[in-house]
Amino acid sequence: MLTVDFTRFPLAAGDRVLDLGCGAGRHAFECYRRGAQVVALDQNGEEIREVATWFAAMKEAGEAPAGATATAMEGDALNLPFPDESFDVVIISEVMEHIPDDKGVLAEMVRVLKPGGRIAVTVPRYGPEKVCWALSDAYHEVEGGHIRIYKADELLAKMRGAGLKPYGTHHAHALHSPYWWLKCAFGVDNDKALPVRAYHKLLVWDIMKKPALTRVAEQLLNPVVGKSFVAYATKPHTPTAAAK
């Protein structure tokens, strides 16, 4: 299940890509399949080991084209172990809402991004996320949990302040918003509640089968209740006024 829309975020074979806070690796895997030279970085060592295992399996199965490379590594988003202007593309998906120093993370991403490079940032959308917070303190008051809710204009302003030039936005995963509302209403750790189990089955069916009915429904609902807000930007070849 991808949050970044690669029809709006072009990726060329050979592009050097950083998937920052890669988690289980879903975007890193897609970039690898598209022929990129991928670095998947996360502070969670267990997840990184799992991502590395999947990279190896994909290579063995021939899922990545010739020339594509993939590396999984532990690292700190506020102190990236890469030289300036190392990457053509940076993706950070559902990560910034967890990090107190989000401006510091943006600065590091801009530092390692080449001039003319592209960045995709995704965060939980303000409206659906506010509902989750209202329904359940346990949803966000956990170690490593969500510490802020972004409004779209706030995130875009921070991106511009970091020297980026946003060029497009959209919303994603409308069908997932009701699932998380149910989870918050019945208990975020309660997977046995009938409404939660039933809706989870629907989501699994949708992800696995991609039926036309749910695909069309989600496209229609994304502008209204899309769970994620996605913003795309480029790094100008010369510093922007906001970055000076």
Side-chain angles (χ1 to χ4, degrees), residues 62-189:
E63 289 189 37
T69 62
T71 302
M73 60 186 296
E74 289 186 58
D76 180 359
L78 289 165
N79 186 24
L80 295 173
F82 310 112
D84 295 355
E85 302 178 4
S86 300
F87 294 94
D88 302 291
V89 173
V90 177
I91 296 171
I92 185 166
S93 182
E94 311 299 301
V95 173
M96 287 181 56
E97 68 275 9
H98 297 271
I99 301 176
D101 186 7
D102 58 346
K103 289 184 178 180
V105 172
L106 277 169
E108 271 293 87
M109 290 190 291
V110 171
R111 180 184 68 79
V112 302
L113 186 64
K114 295 177 182 178
R118 303 172 303 285
I119 188 167
V121 180
T122 91
V123 297
R125 185 183 186 177
Y126 184 82
E129 186 76 347
K130 284 287 283 186
V131 174
C132 289
W133 282 45
L135 289 171
S136 171
D137 290 337
Y139 171 79
H140 63 96
E141 290 183 357
V142 295
E143 184 177 356
H146 299 184
I147 63 171
R148 71 174 65 82
I149 307 176
Y150 288 100
K151 291 184 177 180
D153 56 356
E154 175 192 2
L155 178 61
L156 292 171
K158 287 187 176 184
M159 293 172 69
R160 292 188 185 99
L164 295 166
K165 184 178 180 180
Y167 69 83
T169 66
H170 65 91
H171 300 100
H173 310 317
L175 295 182
H176 288 249
S177 290
Y179 173 71
W180 282 104
W181 297 338
L182 288 170
K183 287 273 287 182
C184 289
F186 286 93
V188 290
D189 297 319

Side-chain angles (χ1 to χ4, degrees), residues 1 6 18 25 37 62 107 109 111 118 184-185 200 209 236 242:
M1 184 188 72
F6 286 94
L18 173 63
Q37 298 176 6
M109 290 190 291
R111 180 184 68 79
R118 303 172 303 285
C184 289
H200 184 262
K209 301 297 184 181

Side-chain angles (χ1 to χ4, degrees), residues 18-30:
L18 173 63
D19 185 1
L20 182 56
C22 65
R26 57 201 172 102
H27 289 106
F29 300 150
E30 180 65 20

